[in-house]
Amino acid sequence: MRSSRNRTLARGAVGLGLAPLLLAAAVLPASAAPGPQGPPPHANEDQSYGQAKKNGLRTVAPDDLVIGTAAAGGGHHVTAGYPDPFTYDRQYRRILNAEFSSVSPENQMKWEFLEPERGQYNWGPADAIVENAERNGQAVRGHTLLWHSQNPAWLTEGVASGEIDDTELRQILEDHIRTVVGRYAGRIDQWDVANEIFTDEATPRLRPENFWIQELGPGIIADAFRWAHEADPQATLFLNDYAVEHIGPKSDAYYALAQDLLAQGVPLHGFAVQAHLSFEYSFPTSLQENLQRFDDLGLETAVTELDVRMPVAEGGPTEAQLEQQADWYQQALEACLGVEECNSFTIWGFTDKYSWVPYFFEGTGAANVMFEDYERKPAYWALHETLAAAQD
């Protein structure tokens, strides 16, 4: 029996039995959408959207679980040779709205994209995602606040040169967290506050490249949670990382950190595993057990960035690869469903058309649950059937 207590869903409509009504409004009106809309949808677009609207993932998911995806945009998409996906691709947006009850900005809330110049915020893309989610009854996960990567040049160069001293750096972080979280207070359900703070070594340590921690000390992690909580007391605040799906040194480091933060009274509410899986490695079979031990600490848990990449030959993935991928997606979902307070399950994009994987892992791809033309893979149907079975 899964718990009915869910801070994430308490502020959304999905867990209140309103999904069928909200899906009726899943198309983003042209007058409300940012940017050009392109040509009218083709027949196959309408068919794909209609299918999702009637029986998409969000319609078959249990009431106490939001099923989410990343909203493509920012990051590598800026130079990928096509217009910003979320803004310009109506077909993409329609299917996202019909299929998913939660959305995470893929890059649009990362620091380099949100505050490219000091004190000058680029709110438009992030606002568009939040507003679209509100129109379509979707929860929003904020991503991310304290991270060593994708920071703007004015910040990283200022720290490296000594132009920004420790006192000013601390104030910059506090101002950014309070400004961003405060802007979306009451509108963003979960935040990845501290992201990827441990190394991947046999004996993990706090990342030396994380200048926040190296310059300001480990105590800045607790401060970041406190500032975020003060800016929005309703939001659920998470630690988030990759390669922490199984029980091992890195997840052990997070377990110890979580215990320490909770003992200090820090407003830490959840632990999230990204779950960027690859056929290069084995499936993390201790995933459910690992999530459960954080649940036992009183934390919510979440799968936040699931994809399953594979080596891809010229002819595309084989039937055997697609079957293995479907099995891994299903196992990950079943692990979350088996933990009482695993209330949020997010896949990192849903179509290979806009996947980040080929840009960062050469020779691999096909990591998402739909092909580039939005045809649903076996992985999609594995999620669909598992979600539907969980309602019984």
Side-chain angles (χ1 to χ4, degrees), residues 122-137:
N122 177 28
W123 295 116
D127 282 353
I129 291 171
V130 174
E131 291 163 5
N132 180 72
E134 290 172 336
R135 283 191 291 269
N136 290 283

Side-chain angles (χ1 to χ4, degrees), residues 4 28 98 124 169 189 207 209 237 242 248 299 302 332 340 384 389:
S4 61
L28 185 70
L169 183 63
D189 302 272
R207 283 186 178 273
E209 64 268 41
L237 307 180
Y242 67 91
L299 297 176
E340 189 172 43
H384 193 282

